[in-house]
């Protein structure tokens, strides 16, 4: 079955972004509408012929381009994009030759290449309208792309259909501005949040780069108090307007907490600063006995903690 949308990417450059994009598009339009070569073609088929057929059957090609897209080289330092046998070149050249629209998707750290940076087979890419896929605004950028494809291809949206007994995922209604590292540190100082720091970690929701997070640790008398605090704090967090859930973990009598705004690409926004201050107040109230404290009673071996 022909697929309307073909995703082109270079494995050494943008594999994770392409896989994540495929998941979003498949959720929006259905698996049968989106082609990504990780699915592999049928065994026994000629790979180049199969790819050419998949590209030729598509109504639009999405070219995912990251910082290594144009300069990826072979073992002898030659640009792969200049090799007539390069799969990425074959995919995009086929689309351009057949008049199939190509949308270059620009990941963080990459700008659309000018015509002089491309070979003759791909020079037409420089004149295609590109679309950003930035880490700081990943979810909104993907949503804009999905909206564009739905209109351009007149495809029905499966993600807006509600099955019996299920709830639709709420859409973001407020656009928040991600803060730079410098702005975050300044805000922590101004707000008196001396125990909080700035951290950058890998994160399953971040496709390109790392998550920017506020981080701190809370200390307790023992393991049970630490775990109980998480339960008590969870009830407080659920009551916040709007609720903003932390990423956290417990190790013995410590609770490590991180805040970032997931729908701004896991970057720090004002919402995280507010949440950090609010959780500090919950911590202080808990220590002062203003919130429910644990009553564990006697443990199985007769000890009390």
């Amino acid at each position: 079955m022909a697929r309307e949308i073909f995703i082109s990417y270079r494995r050494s450059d943008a594999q994770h972004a392409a896989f994540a994009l495929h998941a979003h598009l498949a959720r929006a339009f259905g698996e049968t509408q989106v082609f990504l070569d990780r699915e592999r073609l049928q065994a026994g088929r000629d790979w180049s012929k199969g790819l050419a057929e998949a590209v030729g059957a598509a109504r639009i090609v999405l070219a995912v381009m990251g910082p290594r897209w144009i300069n990826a080289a072979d073992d002898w330092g030659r640009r792969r994009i200049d090799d007539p046998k390069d799969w990425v070149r074959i995919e995009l050249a086929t689309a351009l030759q057949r008049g199939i629209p190509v949308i270059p998707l620009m990941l963080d750290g990459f700008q659309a290449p000018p015509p002089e940076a491309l070979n003759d087979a791909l020079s037409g890419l420089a004149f295609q309208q590109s679309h950003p896929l930035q880490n700081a605004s990943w979810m909104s950028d993907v949503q804009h792309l999905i909206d564009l494809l739905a209109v351009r291809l007149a495809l029905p949206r499966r993600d807006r259909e509600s099955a019996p007994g299920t709830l639709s995922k709420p859409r973001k209604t407020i656009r928040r501005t991600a803060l730079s590292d410098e702005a975050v540190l300044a805000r922590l100082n101004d707000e008196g949040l001396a125990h909080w720091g700035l951290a950058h970690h890998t994160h399953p929701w971040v496709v390109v780069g790392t998550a920017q997070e506020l981080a701190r640790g809370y200390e307790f008398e023992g393991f049970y108090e630490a775990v109980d605090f998480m339960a008590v704090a969870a009830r407080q967090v659920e009551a916040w307007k709007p609720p903003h859930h932390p990423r956290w973990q417990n190790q013995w009598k410590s609770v490590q907490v991180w805040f970032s705004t997931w729908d701004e690409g896991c970057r720090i926004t004002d919402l995280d600063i507010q949440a950090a201050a609010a959780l500090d107040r919950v911590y202080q109230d808990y220590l002062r006995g203003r919130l429910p404290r644990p009553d564990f009673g006697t443990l199985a071996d007769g000890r009390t903690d």
Side-chain angles (χ1 to χ4, degrees):
M1 180 179 180
R3 306 198 183 195
E4 305 276 333
I5 303 167
F6 184 100
I7 300 176
S8 171
Y9 68 101
R10 188 172 297 284
R11 293 180 186 276
S12 62
D13 171 60
Q15 176 171 288
H16 296 302
F19 287 5
L21 177 63
H22 177 268
H24 286 293
L25 296 180
R27 188 178 305 116
F29 302 119
E31 291 278 352
T32 59
Q33 299 290 4
V34 189
F35 180 90
L36 184 75
D37 72 357
R38 76 169 174 179
E39 300 168 8
R40 302 298 179 184
L41 301 169
Q42 293 179 0
R45 294 192 62 191
D46 178 81
W47 184 253
S48 59
K49 182 179 179 181
L51 270 182
E53 290 177 355
V55 173
R59 292 175 58 198
I60 201 161
V61 173
L62 306 179
V64 185
M65 300 180 178
R68 297 189 60 195
W69 182 86
I70 196 166
N71 288 321
D74 61 19
D75 294 339
W76 294 270
R78 298 172 298 192
R79 292 196 318 177
R80 293 189 181 280
I81 208 71
D82 294 327
D83 180 0
K85 297 181 180 179
D86 178 64
W87 293 120
V88 173
R89 171 174 169 158
I90 292 172
E91 293 166 358
L92 299 180
T94 299
L96 292 171
Q97 290 167 5
R98 299 187 182 187
I100 300 169
V102 177
I103 300 180
L105 302 179
M106 303 291 103
L107 300 182
D108 283 346
F110 189 70
Q111 297 180 347
E116 57 269 22
L118 299 166
N119 51 55
D120 290 343
L122 299 178
S123 59
L125 277 178
F127 306 102
Q128 304 293 316
Q129 183 63 46
S130 64
H131 182 87
L133 284 183
Q134 303 296 301
N135 184 55
S137 54
W138 171 264
M139 293 302 297
S140 59
D141 288 346
V142 169
Q143 187 59 56
H144 292 159
L145 177 63
I146 289 174
D147 292 341
L148 181 154
L149 293 173
V151 172
R152 190 163 180 175
L153 302 177
L155 289 175
R157 294 284 297 273
R158 296 186 57 176
D159 57 336
R160 292 182 179 173
E161 301 173 358
S162 295
T166 63
L167 296 176
S168 298
K169 182 179 179 180
R171 298 183 64 183
K172 181 173 67 172
T173 57
I174 300 176
R175 179 68 187 268
R176 301 183 183 276
T177 301
L179 303 175
S180 66
D181 287 357
E182 294 75 14
V184 170
L185 295 174
R187 287 291 302 278
L188 293 178
N189 182 66
D190 293 343
E191 301 288 339
L193 299 173
H195 294 290
W196 290 86
L198 178 64
H200 292 271
H201 296 117
T202 57
H203 193 287
W205 290 349
V206 176
V207 178
V208 180
T210 57
Q212 178 202 43
E213 299 176 292
L214 291 181
R216 77 155 291 178
Y218 295 110
E219 296 295 326
F220 299 89
E221 294 178 1
F223 170 74
Y224 296 106
E225 286 80 5
V227 173
D228 186 69
F229 167 76
M230 296 174 75
V232 171
R235 293 192 290 270
Q236 300 295 314
V237 169
E238 284 294 302
W240 292 349
K241 301 295 182 184
H244 190 51
H245 303 99
R247 181 172 73 88
W248 55 9
Q249 68 179 24
N250 160 251
Q251 185 169 0
W252 190 29
K253 59 180 183 177
S254 299
V255 175
Q256 299 295 321
V257 181
W258 297 268
F259 277 113
S260 65
T261 304
W262 73 268
D263 46 4
E264 292 300 336
C266 289
R267 313 297 292 176
I268 296 170
T269 68
D270 283 338
L271 188 60
D272 301 298
I273 303 292
Q274 297 166 14
L279 194 60
D280 276 356
R281 291 192 292 271
V282 172
Y283 176 61
Q284 292 301 324
D285 286 346
Y286 185 84
L287 294 182
R288 293 167 183 165
R290 297 175 182 172
L291 297 173
R293 296 300 300 271
D295 180 13
F296 299 109
T298 302
L299 301 180
D301 60 0
R303 294 181 294 106
T304 57
D305 190 22

Short mmCIF file of all heavy atoms in Angstrom, two decimals, residues 25 30 34 36 60 84 86 94 117 126 144 183 218 238 248 262 291 300 302:
data_model
loop_
_atom_site.label_atom_id
_atom_site.label_comp_id
_atom_site.label_asym_id
_atom_site.label_seq_id
_atom_site.Cartn_x
_atom_site.Cartn_y
_atom_site.Cartn_z
N LEU A 25 3.68 11.39 13.52
CA LEU A 25 2.90 11.38 12.29
C LEU A 25 2.01 10.15 12.19
O LEU A 25 0.86 10.23 11.72
CB LEU A 25 3.83 11.46 11.07
CG LEU A 25 4.66 12.74 10.94
CD1 LEU A 25 5.54 12.68 9.70
CD2 LEU A 25 3.77 13.98 10.89
N GLY A 30 -2.04 7.72 11.04
CA GLY A 30 -2.09 6.27 10.90
C GLY A 30 -0.79 5.72 10.33
O GLY A 30 -0.13 6.36 9.51
N VAL A 34 2.58 6.69 6.57
CA VAL A 34 3.93 7.24 6.77
C VAL A 34 4.97 6.15 6.51
O VAL A 34 4.88 5.05 7.08
CB VAL A 34 4.09 7.79 8.21
CG1 VAL A 34 5.40 8.54 8.33
CG2 VAL A 34 2.91 8.68 8.59
N LEU A 36 8.97 5.05 6.73
CA LEU A 36 10.30 5.25 7.30
C LEU A 36 11.08 3.98 7.07
O LEU A 36 10.59 2.89 7.36
CB LEU A 36 10.22 5.57 8.80
CG LEU A 36 11.54 5.92 9.49
CD1 LEU A 36 11.98 7.33 9.12
CD2 LEU A 36 11.39 5.81 11.00
N ILE A 60 4.42 13.56 -0.56
CA ILE A 60 5.31 14.57 0.01
C ILE A 60 6.48 13.86 0.69
O ILE A 60 6.32 12.75 1.21
CB ILE A 60 4.57 15.48 1.00
CG1 ILE A 60 5.30 16.80 1.19
CG2 ILE A 60 4.35 14.78 2.35
CD1 ILE A 60 4.44 17.90 1.77
N PRO A 84 26.74 9.22 -5.83
CA PRO A 84 25.49 8.87 -6.53
C PRO A 84 24.78 7.67 -5.93
O PRO A 84 23.58 7.49 -6.15
CB PRO A 84 25.96 8.58 -7.96
CG PRO A 84 27.24 9.34 -8.11
CD PRO A 84 27.89 9.27 -6.76
N ASP A 86 24.57 7.15 -2.61
CA ASP A 86 24.14 7.49 -1.26
C ASP A 86 22.61 7.45 -1.18
O ASP A 86 21.91 8.04 -2.01
CB ASP A 86 24.63 8.91 -0.91
CG ASP A 86 24.17 9.33 0.47
OD1 ASP A 86 24.59 8.71 1.45
OD2 ASP A 86 23.39 10.32 0.55
N THR A 94 15.32 11.64 -6.36
CA THR A 94 14.16 11.02 -7.00
C THR A 94 12.92 11.89 -6.83
O THR A 94 12.15 12.11 -7.77
CB THR A 94 13.90 9.62 -6.40
OG1 THR A 94 15.04 8.79 -6.65
CG2 THR A 94 12.66 8.98 -7.02
N ALA A 117 26.19 24.95 -2.00
CA ALA A 117 26.68 23.89 -1.11
C ALA A 117 26.18 22.52 -1.53
O ALA A 117 26.60 21.51 -0.96
CB ALA A 117 26.27 24.20 0.33
N ALA A 126 17.42 23.82 -2.18
CA ALA A 126 17.61 25.19 -1.67
C ALA A 126 16.39 26.06 -1.91
O ALA A 126 16.25 27.11 -1.27
CB ALA A 126 18.85 25.81 -2.32
N HIS A 144 2.62 22.02 14.39
CA HIS A 144 2.45 22.89 13.22
C HIS A 144 2.66 22.11 11.92
O HIS A 144 1.94 22.31 10.94
CB HIS A 144 3.44 24.05 13.29
CG HIS A 144 3.14 25.02 14.40
ND1 HIS A 144 4.08 25.89 14.91
CD2 HIS A 144 2.01 25.24 15.11
CE1 HIS A 144 3.54 26.59 15.88
NE2 HIS A 144 2.28 26.22 16.03
N ALA A 183 19.54 33.43 32.24
CA ALA A 183 18.30 33.95 32.81
C ALA A 183 17.82 33.08 33.97
O ALA A 183 17.31 33.58 34.97
CB ALA A 183 17.23 34.04 31.73
N TYR A 218 16.18 17.01 48.54
CA TYR A 218 15.57 17.20 49.85
C TYR A 218 16.01 16.06 50.76
O TYR A 218 16.02 14.91 50.35
CB TYR A 218 14.04 17.21 49.75
CG TYR A 218 13.47 18.37 48.97
CD1 TYR A 218 12.89 18.16 47.72
CD2 TYR A 218 13.48 19.67 49.48
CE1 TYR A 218 12.35 19.22 46.99
CE2 TYR A 218 12.94 20.72 48.77
CZ TYR A 218 12.38 20.50 47.52
OH TYR A 218 11.84 21.55 46.82
N GLU A 238 -0.91 18.14 42.68
CA GLU A 238 -2.15 17.96 41.93
C GLU A 238 -3.12 19.11 42.15
O GLU A 238 -3.98 19.38 41.31
CB GLU A 238 -2.82 16.64 42.33
CG GLU A 238 -2.17 15.42 41.72
CD GLU A 238 -2.32 15.38 40.20
OE1 GLU A 238 -3.46 15.41 39.72
OE2 GLU A 238 -1.29 15.35 39.51
N TRP A 248 11.24 13.01 39.59
CA TRP A 248 11.93 12.83 40.87
C TRP A 248 12.28 11.38 41.12
O TRP A 248 11.78 10.48 40.46
CB TRP A 248 11.13 13.42 42.03
CG TRP A 248 9.71 12.93 42.20
CD1 TRP A 248 9.09 11.91 41.55
CD2 TRP A 248 8.73 13.48 43.09
NE1 TRP A 248 7.79 11.78 41.98
CE2 TRP A 248 7.54 12.72 42.92
CE3 TRP A 248 8.74 14.52 44.02
CZ2 TRP A 248 6.38 12.99 43.65
CZ3 TRP A 248 7.59 14.78 44.75
CH2 TRP A 248 6.43 14.03 44.55
N TRP A 262 7.89 20.24 29.66
CA TRP A 262 8.03 19.23 28.59
C TRP A 262 7.54 19.75 27.25
O TRP A 262 8.14 19.44 26.22
CB TRP A 262 7.28 17.96 28.97
CG TRP A 262 5.79 18.07 28.91
CD1 TRP A 262 4.94 18.42 29.93
CD2 TRP A 262 4.96 17.82 27.78
NE1 TRP A 262 3.65 18.42 29.49
CE2 TRP A 262 3.62 18.06 28.17
CE3 TRP A 262 5.20 17.43 26.47
CZ2 TRP A 262 2.54 17.92 27.32
CZ3 TRP A 262 4.13 17.29 25.61
CH2 TRP A 262 2.82 17.53 26.03
N LEU A 291 1.84 19.43 57.56
CA LEU A 291 1.22 18.50 56.62
C LEU A 291 1.26 17.11 57.25
O LEU A 291 2.05 16.85 58.17
CB LEU A 291 1.99 18.49 55.29
CG LEU A 291 1.99 19.81 54.52
CD1 LEU A 291 2.92 19.71 53.31
CD2 LEU A 291 0.59 20.19 54.07
N ALA A 300 8.04 -5.38 60.83
CA ALA A 300 7.85 -6.83 60.99
C ALA A 300 8.85 -7.45 61.95
O ALA A 300 8.55 -8.41 62.64
CB ALA A 300 7.95 -7.51 59.62
N GLY A 302 10.11 -6.03 64.59
CA GLY A 302 10.04 -5.44 65.92
C GLY A 302 10.72 -4.11 66.03
O GLY A 302 10.61 -3.45 67.08
#
